[in-house]
Amino acid sequence: MNNSAATLYCSNLNCQAPNPQSHNFCQKCRTPLLKRYLWAVGEGIEAYKAGDLIAERYLLKSDRIILDTKPALSPEMLPEISNSLMPYLKLSPYQLHVPQLYGLLTPTEGQRNAETWLLEQVPIYSCGNGEGTLMPELTSVWKNASAMRQLTWLWQMANLWEPLQINHVGSSLLTPALLRVEGSILRLLILQADRSSPVTLQNLGQLWSKWVAASHPTIGKFLEQVCQQLNQGAVQTAEQLVGLLDEAMETIGRSQSCTYQIVTRSDTGPTRRQNEDACYPPSPSSTNPSLPLAIVCDGIGGHEGGEVASHLAIATIQERVQNLLANPANPLNPTALTLELENFACAANDVISQRNDTEQRLDRQRMGTTLVMALAHAHEMYITHVGDSRAYWITRTGCRQITLDDDIASREVRLGYALYRDAVEQSGAGSLVQALGMSSSATLHPSVQRFVLDEDGVFLLCSDGLSDNDRVEQYWETEILPILEGQIDLSTAGTRLIEIGNTKNGHDNVTVALVYCQVASAQTGQQVTALQMGAIPPAAPTPAPAASVRSQSPSASRIKTKIISPQSTTRSPLPLLLVLLLLAGVSGAIAYWLIPEVQDRVKPLIGLTPPSSRSPEPSAASSSPSAEPVVTPSTSVPSLEAGLLLQTTRSTTKNVQGKEVPVLLRRGVQAPQNQSVVGLVSDGSILQVSSIQRNQDPDSWLQVKVCSTLTTSNSQLSPEKVNSGTPNPRAVPEVTYRPIKQGEIGWIRESDVLPVINPNFAPTSANLGECAIGAADPTPTVTSSPSK
């Protein structure tokens, strides 16, 4: 009889049969066995030795490396996530490089009970001869790597610098033991919290200086110059550093050549009457294309709309890409190409949205589509994405999902509300938060990622008819990896993937596009001129307050969201605007001096200054309920933004009836009120804004962290009764609330907290408690979302 510790259970929920670890397929249902390796974080794991089975599920393979023997079951979660773990959630868009929280390891009775968290998507080999072992440290393979690969690793570090620094884990990039590599991909073992002193680009230059002597001769002088400029402070931003490395990679990239094969397949599936998916090149197709472009779209809106939307998107984008590449006058540097691809996605969105408007389609009747697109250019692959169709990158060392679904579950993780394995179990987790055609391009945030190619690989684009239920993770090794080994051709692999989607899932249309990239490096004897550092790119100007920044991934677009209006021949409205502003100012001044209530609303706002140096977001003060208007003062008031530190002056404010009500910190925005209150915001509390949420409610909500509490309010209130019908978030139940405590996190209405803010508050290290200036990062605005 097999040792239970050596048993691996099938990931098929309808099977879950036990199997020996040596098997690759379930001996009962023939599903490929999913081997999910995890990394244990915490002191509790130190009580166990290799071979122990923990919690009747987790097999300790070696020091902190764990195999989940029951991958079909959800891991255990904690009701609250500690602040030390929050960076893993905030950095979920960077999952190609940053590990993600998997769940909590809780020992069974009799075992040591100490908290241990498990990380997934860690740099551990899941197949091959090194299965179950850590990937190598960057420093151990640096000297044997090609010039392009060394530059690629440095480029990824430069792209990761800013998001990690914002989340106070920038020192992770300065610790060689945490820097692991999977081929050309840089991966972090864990996130390491920064110490008291902030890390700087000078620290990065000092680390890189140690690698100069072992660097490839072609880039040795270049890297030495870059390190000197970093150490001297001449390179001031990560964006400047990325620009220098981009130029170097472009030069090296000219010495290698890339060839591409593209195969597309699309099928209605066994249960659908209509195929709402679409792809480019049109299915079925096998080609060595002159235009290295592949697109997959999954239509939304039923047979009367989804099919139309997906084909409109492909026709619009394909035409624009073709025109762009055919025009030799267009300078296609990475920044320009990224911006063009974003604009193409917005153009497709507008074409579909205008069709919806013409046909008077409203709400859920509107047709839309997802989008995932691959465009090869020079030594790079550009992946453009909206919705939940996915892209995967398969090389000889592994398969990685490189897009993040635009759905409720992923948003919950990104905002720090839940772990992904928990979020996907919630009702409505798969509902989309954005898709092409559902609304104006002003609210669309397509992602564009860049991947440097220096080895053979396959990019798989697919609709959720294939990706659901982890089918790609289960079958990539048997169906896609053989392409790289020359064992099957691309066309055969495409046909097999359609069959897997139909037989193993079968609930939807299935569409796939396979892009096979073959890279040939410089031939033996071919000389590549040694690089010299060019001019340092100028620092990017501070964006205007009205410009919003797209959500970034390590290789994603750095272009600001901007919808370009058509040229107008009408006269400038500036004179009229000046007259209106003057009238508004006079009216505001009269109201201020004659109406005391207006003074009460205006005074707390004047002089409110964010401590962060980040550009402010648009003010949300004007979005309060119409029953309680907020008068905007003529004095310029900076907007609330993530990272802002606030001090309260009292614990009560007035509601719409003029009664004193408590200022409450809540656990959620829409939870029933009696269950959602964390506590009373006491006098003198110092709060830090983590994020701002805006939805269909006319008011805004702030997620805040309690930095410190100076006094406790004992004021007696006359609370109102809660209506027994729909909970009123502004009503006050007849209960006594405890004061909030340092370190607690919750939600508070913007209109409740604005009147009680101390306008003269000056944050210092002595009164910040657990917070730090500029510690938070703005999160995207939450809007109503289409359901797919």
Side-chain angles (χ1 to χ4, degrees):
M1 188 170 104
N2 291 328
N3 185 334
S4 61
T7 298
L8 182 62
Y9 290 83
C10 179
S11 59
N12 183 347
L13 284 172
N14 297 321
C15 176
Q16 299 190 52
N19 296 271
Q21 286 186 59
S22 58
H23 286 200
N24 293 321
F25 294 87
C26 175
Q27 54 194 358
K28 180 179 179 181
C29 71
R30 303 306 297 167
T31 296
L33 294 176
L34 183 60
K35 297 180 180 179
R36 181 176 289 138
Y37 288 95
L38 310 168
W39 182 261
V41 178
E43 298 179 358
I45 196 64
E46 298 173 0
Y48 304 97
K49 62 182 184 298
D52 286 349
L53 188 66
I54 308 171
E56 301 179 352
R57 173 175 180 175
Y58 299 108
L59 177 62
L60 183 60
K61 300 286 289 186
S62 59
D63 183 27
R64 295 189 178 274
I65 296 178
I66 284 178
L67 175 66
D68 186 355
T69 65
K70 299 178 180 179
L73 304 182
S74 298
E76 187 173 345
M77 305 289 174
L78 274 182
E80 294 185 5
I81 302 170
S82 66
N83 293 335
S84 63
L85 298 173
M86 197 61 67
Y88 289 101
L89 305 184
K90 296 288 188 178
L91 293 167
S92 60
Y94 302 81
Q95 60 183 349
L96 182 64
H97 309 281
V98 176
Q100 297 298 296
L101 287 173
Y102 182 67
L104 182 66
L105 191 158
T106 302
T108 52
E109 187 176 354
Q111 295 177 316
R112 179 180 175 181
N113 187 14
E115 183 175 294
T116 301
W117 281 94
L118 300 175
L119 303 180
E120 62 177 326
Q121 300 178 42
V122 285
I124 300 174
Y125 289 115
S126 60
C127 63
N129 295 331
E131 180 186 326
T133 63
L134 281 173
M135 295 172 183
E137 292 184 23
L138 182 150
T139 52
S140 69
V141 297
W142 173 265
K143 64 179 181 180
N144 296 322
S146 67
M148 177 61 88
R149 182 155 293 187
Q150 289 179 349
L151 287 173
T152 301
W153 288 333
L154 299 178
W155 179 75
Q156 292 172 77
M157 293 180 70
N159 275 288
L160 284 167
W161 181 259
E162 183 177 353
L164 265 65
Q165 191 181 43
I166 288 173
N167 286 279
H168 304 285
V169 289
S171 61
S172 306
L173 292 172
L174 304 176
T175 308
L178 303 183
L179 302 176
R180 303 282 168 161
V181 292
E182 181 183 2
S184 62
I185 300 175
L186 177 76
R187 304 185 63 179
L188 292 171
L189 180 58
I190 62 171
L191 293 178
Q192 176 178 279
D194 296 342
R195 303 300 180 186
S196 55
S197 58
V199 296
T200 65
L201 284 174
Q202 284 88 341
N203 300 133
L204 192 62
Q206 293 167 8
L207 175 65
W208 287 6
S209 297
K210 300 176 183 178
W211 304 343
V212 171
S215 62
H216 194 280
T218 305
I219 68 167
K221 183 63 176 177
F222 166 79
L223 181 55
E224 182 180 7
Q225 292 172 327
V226 170
C227 292
Q228 289 174 352
Q229 296 298 321
L230 285 170
N231 292 329
Q232 295 170 5
V235 177
Q236 301 177 359
T237 67
E239 190 170 1
Q240 289 178 305
L241 182 58
V242 169
L244 290 171
L245 295 170
D246 272 334
E247 292 180 4
M249 290 191 297
E250 181 182 0
T251 301
I252 297 297
R254 298 191 193 113
S255 66
Q256 67 180 32
S257 61
C258 300
T259 57
Y260 304 97
Q261 300 176 44
I262 297 178
V263 162
T264 59
R265 296 285 187 273
S266 186
D267 192 83
T268 305
T271 61
R272 295 296 180 93
R273 296 181 180 180
Q274 187 87 8
N275 190 353
E276 299 177 51
D277 290 0
C279 58
Y280 178 86
S283 173
S285 176
S286 293
T287 179
N288 294 82
S290 57
L291 178 63
L293 172 69
I295 309 174
V296 168
C297 289
D298 184 354
I300 304 168
H303 68 277
E304 295 181 351
E307 181 183 12
V308 175
S310 59
H311 283 89
L312 279 176
I314 286 179
T316 302
I317 294 174
Q318 181 266 330
E319 179 183 8
R320 282 165 169 75
V321 171
Q322 205 158 20
N323 292 338
L324 175 70
L325 299 183
N327 186 356
N330 287 326
L332 292 181
N333 57 62
T335 300
L337 183 52
T338 297
L339 178 58
E340 291 290 356
L341 293 174
E342 291 182 356
N343 289 337
F344 294 165
C346 289
N349 177 81
D350 290 339
V351 169
I352 302 168
S353 185
Q354 290 166 10
R355 180 74 170 264
N356 280 324
D357 295 341
T358 300
E359 298 178 1
Q360 297 183 343
R361 294 174 177 261
L362 301 174
D363 300 327
R364 293 185 180 273
Q365 295 178 349
R366 293 179 72 86
M367 60 182 175
T369 183
T370 67
L371 166 71
V372 61
M373 172 174 65
L375 174 65
H377 179 69
H379 58 283
E380 296 175 325
M381 181 66 72
Y382 290 75
I383 302 294
T384 307
H385 175 258
V386 176
D388 64 354
S389 293
R390 291 182 178 176
Y392 296 83
W393 187 14
I394 296 96
T395 65
R396 289 181 174 86
T397 55
C399 171
R400 313 107 185 155
Q401 179 185 331
I402 55 177
T403 55
L404 188 69
D405 294 347
D406 288 323
D407 60 9
I408 295 293
S410 297
R411 186 186 69 181
E412 292 292 293
V413 176
R414 188 176 65 250
L415 295 177
Y417 298 159
L419 275 62
Y420 183 75
R421 299 288 170 181
D422 187 31
V424 294
E425 299 294 330
Q426 307 305 315
S427 176
S431 297
L432 298 182
V433 298
Q434 68 170 359
L436 298 184
M438 306 307 292
S439 59
S440 165
S441 290
T443 61
L444 186 71
H445 296 268
S447 67
V448 179
Q449 299 182 75
R450 298 165 51 203
F451 299 93
V452 178
L453 305 176
D454 74 343
E455 63 178 323
D456 294 353
V458 176
F459 286 87
L460 166 65
L461 317 181
C462 64
S463 61
D464 56 3
L466 174 64
S467 62
D468 279 353
N469 302 310
D470 295 330
R471 298 307 178 197
V472 176
E473 288 81 357
Q474 292 173 358
Y475 287 96
W476 73 271
E477 195 173 352
T478 59
E479 307 301 333
I480 303 178
L481 185 60
I483 297 172
L484 300 173
E485 306 298 336
Q487 298 172 0
I488 63 173
D489 59 64
L490 208 61
S491 180
T492 301
T495 301
R496 288 184 180 177
L497 290 173
I498 292 293
E499 293 174 355
I500 290 171
N502 285 337
T503 58
K504 301 300 182 180
N505 288 334
H507 60 280
D508 202 352
N509 312 140
V510 185
T511 301
V512 301
L514 292 165
V515 183
Y516 182 19
C517 311
Q518 294 176 285
V519 180
S521 301
Q523 297 180 356
T524 304
Q526 180 179 348
Q527 297 296 319
V528 180
T529 304
L531 289 176
Q532 295 285 332
M533 193 181 80
I536 299 174
T542 302
S548 60
V549 182
R550 293 193 195 279
S551 198
Q552 305 299 325
S553 63
S555 309
S557 158
R558 290 184 167 273
I559 309 303
K560 306 297 183 287
T561 302
K562 184 177 181 181
I563 306 302
I564 301 175
S565 303
Q567 295 294 329
S568 173
T569 58
T570 58
R571 292 187 302 170
S572 171
L574 184 58
L576 178 59
L577 289 176
L578 291 174
V579 173
L580 293 176
L581 288 174
L582 178 61
L583 291 175
V586 172
S587 301
I590 294 172
Y592 178 83
W593 292 108
L594 297 182
I595 307 175
E597 288 80 0
V598 174
Q599 294 183 18
D600 291 340
R601 301 292 292 183
V602 172
K603 287 179 179 178
L605 297 177
I606 298 175
L608 183 61
T609 304
S612 170
S613 61
R614 298 178 65 90
S615 299
E617 297 291 333
S619 175
S622 61
S623 60
S624 57
S626 58
E628 188 180 2
V630 176
V631 179
T632 303
S634 57
T635 303
S636 175
V637 179
S639 306
L640 294 180
E641 63 172 5
L644 178 65
L645 290 159
L646 312 172
Q647 185 182 49
T648 60
T649 58
R650 58 183 188 274
S651 60
T652 63
T653 186
K654 290 184 179 181
N655 64 8
V656 294
Q657 288 81 27
K659 294 183 178 180
E660 289 288 329
V661 295
V663 179
L664 299 175
L665 186 68
R666 307 175 188 276
R667 292 191 175 86
V669 174
Q670 296 176 334
Q673 187 170 355
N674 284 338
Q675 302 174 8
S676 65
V677 175
V678 176
L680 178 71
V681 179
S682 52
D683 302 350
S685 298
I686 298 178
L687 313 173
Q688 184 168 43
V689 179
S690 301
S691 64
I692 302 175
Q693 177 169 329
R694 298 181 176 91
N695 49 27
Q696 294 179 349
D697 189 293
D699 204 352
S700 300
W701 288 83
L702 311 178
Q703 186 184 41
V704 299
K705 176 181 178 180
V706 182
C707 306
S708 63
T709 56
L710 303 182
T711 61
T712 301
S713 174
N714 296 315
S715 58
Q716 299 297 317
L717 305 174
S718 300
E720 304 169 87
K721 293 184 177 180
V722 178
N723 191 305
S724 59
T726 304
N728 178 3
R730 299 188 69 94
V732 183
E734 292 183 334
V735 295
T736 301
Y737 300 108
R738 67 166 177 81
I740 55 176
K741 300 178 181 178
Q742 179 173 310
E744 290 185 318
I745 297 175
W747 292 86
I748 188 170
R749 273 189 183 274
E750 183 181 32
S751 58
D752 287 345
V753 75
L754 282 177
V756 300
I757 291 175
N758 176 9
N760 300 316
F761 172 60
T764 66
S765 57
N767 61 21
L768 289 187
E770 294 191 0
C771 299
I773 294 178
D777 187 37
T779 53
T781 297
V782 178
T783 59
S784 57
S785 54
S787 179
K788 187 180 170 201

